[in-house]
Amino acid sequence: MQTEFDHQWLRRSFELAIEARQRGDHPFGAVLVAAGGELLAEGGNLVVSRGDFSAHAELALLQAAWLDLGPSALAGACLYSSCEPCPMCAGAAHWSGLGRVVFGLRVGRLYELMGAAGQGAALMVECRQLLAQSGRPIEVLGPQLHSEAERVHAGFWASGA
């Protein structure tokens, strides 16, 4: 069930996605919140600035949090993502022990917005579908606030990014 608390953190992920876009990275952001509601970490996409195809906002965030805070801090935590996590990032959510994933823009809509820029990039596996294969329950909520999430990408992919 979505709450205003979820919307607050999801909107923060949108802000981080805009910051990533402004610095020349792809427009994706993520926030990690402990099961008790405390902010653990936040970050944006770093693919361009790091020159690393795997530096998606979610994966980079989870890797840093795991190293800085340890696995017990991530147990049952919630990942708020501006866009539906790709299979790589959804896998990281599983392996890091998260309990929830809440996302804004669904992956199918992202590829529609990307148009020609997304051709060949699509790996059309829904986060919910992948995490349903987990050996433990992981709640997935999304798309949420999809109109706001979509605005983060407005015009970005048309620029040939």
Side-chain angles (χ1 to χ4, degrees), residues 50-135:
R50 280 193 187 166
D52 177 357
F53 71 88
S54 70
H56 292 193
E58 304 91 340
L59 183 59
L61 175 72
L62 290 171
Q63 288 173 327
W66 181 278
L67 293 172
D68 293 345
L69 305 171
S72 61
L74 279 67
C78 182
L79 176 67
Y80 293 92
S81 180
S82 62
C83 189
E84 183 173 4
C86 73
M88 176 179 68
C89 295
H94 162 77
W95 293 114
S96 62
L98 300 185
R100 296 177 79 221
V101 173
V102 179
F103 66 88
L105 188 66
R106 69 178 177 78
V107 70
R109 181 63 183 138
L110 172 66
Y111 288 126
E112 290 171 3
L113 293 171
M114 290 175 77
Q119 290 182 3
L123 190 52
M124 294 297 293
V125 177
E126 293 181 3
C127 173
R128 179 176 286 104
Q129 183 181 18
L130 189 125
L131 290 176
Q133 304 303 310
S134 176

